[in-house]
Amino acid sequence: MGEVTRLWRRLPEGLRELVLYGFASALALGLDWGLLLLLTRLGVNYLVASATGFLSGMAVTYALSVSVVFRHRAVADRRSEFAGFLAVGLAGLVLTQGLMALWVGGLHMGPGLAKIPTAGIVFVFNFVVRKALLFRAGRSPAIQP
């Protein structure tokens, strides 16, 4: 285990953050998908279930981003930081819908297949924008608990 830890620490910080963000996003996607399936099975409207899953997943991603993934915080106020995080997530949702419409409606791909490139593109979009706007070094002092 010591060798793995040593290798991990030798990776550039941005690459470590990308890997950790990938894990956080995978957990969030699991929660999002699971809630969508559970709630629709319980009779909840699919749009309500989808929004619930999406927002729950975003909350998990935010919690993991600020506690595990990113070491630097560019916004000192937690409410402003979360609002920015939410805004990027909602932009990612709009991007998702547009890409799905392109793949499914324009290129006639099945939705399951179309979700693969869409999830990859939106993952990169969310990571890059959140890192640039919310989790970069040198802006504000660290957030105090």
Side-chain angles (χ1 to χ4, degrees):
M1 189 69 168
E3 187 63 29
V4 172
T5 302
R6 219 175 359 265
L7 285 172
W8 176 255
R9 289 183 180 154
R10 293 181 68 192
L11 291 175
E13 182 179 24
L15 183 56
R16 287 193 314 260
E17 289 174 340
L18 180 62
V19 169
L20 291 172
Y21 189 79
F23 286 126
S25 294
L27 288 172
L29 181 59
L31 176 63
D32 181 350
W33 184 258
L35 282 173
L36 173 66
L37 295 176
L38 174 66
L39 293 173
T40 54
R41 187 170 289 231
L42 293 173
V44 174
N45 177 278
Y46 76 95
L47 293 174
V48 173
S50 177
T52 301
F54 177 81
L55 293 172
S56 298
M58 190 181 309
V60 167
T61 303
Y62 177 73
L64 291 173
S65 290
V66 299
S67 65
V68 177
V69 176
F70 297 108
R71 292 182 45 203
H72 304 288
R73 312 283 283 277
V75 180
D77 178 62
R78 286 185 182 195
R79 289 174 294 197
S80 295
E81 181 183 70
F82 183 74
F85 197 92
L86 182 61
V88 173
L90 293 176
L93 178 60
V94 169
L95 179 59
T96 295
Q97 297 298 81
L99 289 171
M100 290 297 286
L102 171 68
W103 307 136
V104 176
L107 299 177
H108 306 292
M109 293 172 71
L113 183 60
K115 185 65 175 171
I116 296 168
T118 298
I121 291 167
V122 173
F123 167 80
V124 171
F125 169 82
N126 283 339
F127 175 79
V128 169
V129 175
R130 285 175 174 152
K131 172 91 171 125
L133 296 179
L134 301 171
F135 302 110
R136 68 181 183 279
R139 267 300 191 123
S140 299
I143 294 177
Q144 301 300 317

